[in-house]
Amino acid sequence: MLPGRITDGQRLDRKRHLGNDIILIIFQEDPQSGAFQLSSIRSKQNHIICFVSPKNDGFELLLAPRKEVPYFTPDLPEPAVIGTDGISRDFLLHKLINGERASYKAPIFASKITRTRSVLLYDVIDRYI
């Protein structure tokens, strides 16, 4: 469903949208079809992939964080199936936001965040002190 051009055989326009995200949410109508190949997206930015697929009256979740991402809460229920109500939506958003925050502790982001915060702090000092 991402934008793309017919002439873009490698789907680079679509991959560019996905390559800069820390968390990818992949919705699979039929997880048995095997249509999605994780190897088709290579990025140093992607740290958590959340697979969502329909299951009875809800959605089945599968989270695949990189090994560098520390543990984050809340825990997924067993089985990892959530409903279609607002509470389930809030649960998933809470889980993914915490996942993004945990990803910032991974080595690739930790040094960048420290550098960015340092620059911002010096900017505040220059402006106001």
Side-chain angles (χ1 to χ4, degrees), residues 2-106:
L2 291 173
R5 292 178 295 198
I6 295 172
T7 58
D8 186 12
Q10 291 185 335
R11 311 289 192 262
L12 295 178
D13 283 343
R14 293 180 180 186
K15 291 177 188 177
R16 182 178 47 221
H17 288 289
L18 301 173
N20 290 326
D21 295 326
I22 294 171
I23 297 178
L24 295 179
I25 301 172
I26 309 289
F27 184 80
Q28 293 183 292
E29 281 288 337
D30 180 13
Q32 305 304 323
S33 69
F36 179 76
Q37 296 293 320
L38 190 56
S39 62
S40 67
I41 301 171
R42 294 176 192 239
S43 172
K44 293 180 181 177
Q45 297 293 98
N46 302 145
H47 275 61
I48 299 172
I49 299 178
C50 176
F51 294 97
V52 179
S53 56
K55 179 85 169 204
N56 300 329
D57 291 334
F59 296 99
E60 186 172 27
L61 305 175
L62 173 65
L63 257 65
R66 283 190 179 183
K67 62 183 176 192
E68 300 89 20
V69 176
Y71 171 79
F72 56 97
T73 59
D75 293 329
L76 289 176
E78 285 290 331
V81 177
I82 62 171
T84 58
D85 59 344
I87 293 172
S88 296
R89 181 199 64 225
D90 289 349
F91 169 82
L92 179 59
L93 289 174
H94 188 112
K95 180 72 173 169
L96 295 177
I97 289 169
N98 284 353
E100 182 163 339
R101 294 178 72 198
S103 295
Y104 293 151
K105 295 175 183 167

Side-chain angles (χ1 to χ4, degrees), residues 104 106-117:
Y104 293 151
I108 193 169
F109 290 120
S111 62
K112 291 178 183 179
I113 288 174
T114 301
R115 186 174 54 243
T116 300
R117 287 179 179 162

Side-chain angles (χ1 to χ4, degrees), residues 119-129:
V119 168
L120 291 173
L121 182 59
Y122 281 115
D123 183 53
V124 168
I125 290 170
D126 286 344
R127 286 184 185 196
Y128 304 107
I129 296 180

